[in-house]
Amino acid sequence: MESGRRANLPLVDVMVLAKALHTNPICLTYPIGYVAEVQRLPYEHRIARWEAMCWFIAQDSDSLADRDMLRYQREHIEALGEARSAMASESYARYAVEQATSATERAEALRDQATCLERIDKAKQRLRVARSFIRRGRGLLPDLPAELADVVPPEPGSNANTTEKNGL
């Protein structure tokens, strides 16, 4: 490539090169901070490097076919992180309830635990909604840890009486 005999660089080579250089592939593709403008695609006019990078990572405002699926997958990841965080906080709050030495400490710990349980419920609902949209878009549903198995709604056609809210 450096000698000029190779005009194209496959994406997998960019990924390997980025790993070797201890950077991210996007930084080699659109060198933010080192050039003013780049070509988003070959033979296109030059545009601001940040605009090109946002297009590449689906953070632009253009309407792309998979934009919704990306948004639902991102929502799932964020809700999963929130659920795990809330569950860890609830575990700590439960321990604080057990270790409380006064009525005041116990009451405060119980309030903290209740707050954590509400966070868990909200995160689980977010997961259900995201999973519902992913399923409708015929996307691959991400795995859930065992402690969140109750998030998975029953299969269509079962006798369960649950509905998923359309809140994304």
Side-chain angles (χ1 to χ4, degrees):
M1 186 175 78
E2 290 178 3
S3 67
R5 291 181 293 205
R6 190 170 174 190
N8 295 326
L9 190 62
L11 180 58
V12 70
D13 289 354
V14 172
M15 294 164 58
V16 170
L17 184 58
K19 178 76 172 171
L21 294 173
H22 304 288
T23 191
N24 294 312
I26 192 70
C27 294
L28 296 177
T29 307
Y30 301 117
I32 303 296
Y34 297 101
V35 296
E37 293 181 323
V38 296
Q39 287 179 294
R40 183 173 67 170
L41 293 170
Y43 309 114
E44 280 191 353
H45 63 282
R46 296 173 84 62
I47 61 174
R49 61 203 181 273
W50 189 260
E51 185 181 333
M53 188 199 66
C54 286
W55 167 79
F56 191 87
I57 62 172
Q59 295 295 313
D60 63 342
S61 59
D62 289 345
S63 173
L64 301 174
D66 292 330
R67 186 167 180 77
D68 287 340
M69 186 58 72
L70 292 171
R71 192 180 73 203
Y72 304 144
Q73 292 285 341
R74 187 177 302 116
E75 172 67 13
H76 192 282
I77 290 166
E78 290 172 4
L80 183 58
E82 173 60 20
R84 286 180 166 157
S85 172
M87 291 171 84
S89 295
E90 191 279 330
S91 177
Y92 179 77
R94 188 175 346 109
Y95 177 77
V97 168
E98 294 168 1
Q99 299 302 313
T101 57
S102 70
T104 305
E105 283 180 6
R106 182 172 169 74
E108 185 176 338
L110 284 169
R111 278 192 299 275
D112 289 346
Q113 186 180 22
T115 300
C116 292
L117 290 170
E118 287 177 18
R119 282 180 54 209
I120 292 168
D121 286 343
K122 287 179 182 177
K124 285 181 177 181
Q125 183 57 30
R126 283 178 63 196
L127 281 167
R128 287 183 190 102
V129 171
R131 292 176 75 80
S132 172
F133 279 102
I134 292 168
R135 189 179 310 104
R136 281 189 220 148
R138 295 194 172 113
L140 180 63
L141 288 170
D143 292 332
L144 288 171
E147 63 269 17
L148 292 170
D150 61 329
V151 168
V152 179
E155 291 296 317
S158 70
N159 293 334
N161 215 1
T162 61
T163 58
E164 294 179 347
K165 291 183 182 178
N166 210 1
L168 279 182

